[in-house]
Amino acid sequence: MTKSRSRDTSGAQHVTPSHPDLSFTAFHQMNRANYVHYAETFLHHRQDAEEAIDSTFEQLLRSWDQVLLKENPAAYAWTVMRNKVIDHTRARARRPPLIDDAAFDTVALRDAVDPIGQITESLALFRAMRRLTDRQQDVMVMTYLHGMNAPEVAAVLGMTKATVRSTVRHSLRRLREILGPDRTMEGQR
């Protein structure tokens, strides 16, 4: 299978096979934007995020037949993507994922009456989120930072809607334990 390179309107280069499998093409089209958005949360640069995601899809394409044999191809692909984002973060000697900088780019801060108080709250929240499991972090980032609903998160992460809702519930409970009852993301987007 040959590959071609193309550039989108942002100038980012994408590697795509000349004759991709239809199921891979559909999967790529359905997930690329969400994957890039997720990667940007951790890498903070669109070009770095796109590079990590292109690398993810290249790896998935090389083993697409095996990916389709997995019990849950979407969940497997998400794991590959998450690992690529972590690798890109480390390769660029950035601070750990879900860094404090994200606390400075929230809707709550933009709408805050007391910006300094809100920054303090946001920093505490992001530090607490580091103590969640990987799955919990992923679900919370997609739900609260990216504003996705349970069916959307379920489709991207390769889990059921019930699992997403349960994960949010358990994550909020854990954050409440860490922060106290009045300092979680409950009721916020």
Side-chain angles (χ1 to χ4, degrees), residues 87-116:
D87 290 346
H88 274 70
T89 301
R90 289 181 183 144
R92 283 158 180 73
R94 298 190 196 283
R95 288 176 282 177
L98 206 57
I99 61 173
D100 295 339
D101 291 350
F104 293 93
D105 185 28
T106 63
V107 173
L109 180 58
R110 287 189 290 276
D111 297 342
V113 175
D114 175 17
I116 300 301

Side-chain angles (χ1 to χ4, degrees), residues 40-107:
E40 258 186 306
T41 302
F42 298 97
L43 294 169
H44 300 288
H45 298 284
R46 179 74 177 198
Q47 187 173 352
D48 289 347
E50 288 182 348
E51 184 179 311
I53 299 312
D54 286 344
S55 177
T56 298
F57 281 110
E58 286 174 24
Q59 180 178 334
L60 291 171
L61 179 59
R62 284 191 301 272
S63 60
W64 190 245
D65 291 338
Q66 289 81 29
V67 171
L68 292 176
L69 296 175
K70 302 285 183 192
E71 182 177 330
N72 188 334
Y76 176 81
W78 180 265
T79 301
V80 169
M81 184 276 303
R82 190 177 208 286
N83 289 335
K84 288 287 185 182
V85 169
I86 291 169
D87 290 346
H88 274 70
T89 301
R90 289 181 183 144
R92 283 158 180 73
R94 298 190 196 283
R95 288 176 282 177
L98 206 57
I99 61 173
D100 295 339
D101 291 350
F104 293 93
D105 185 28
T106 63
V107 173

Side-chain angles (χ1 to χ4, degrees), residues 20 23 33 37 67 87-88 138 147 154 157 164 180-182 187-188:
S23 63
H37 196 58
V67 171
D87 290 346
H88 274 70
D138 291 347
L157 272 57
V164 170
D182 296 330
Q188 299 177 16

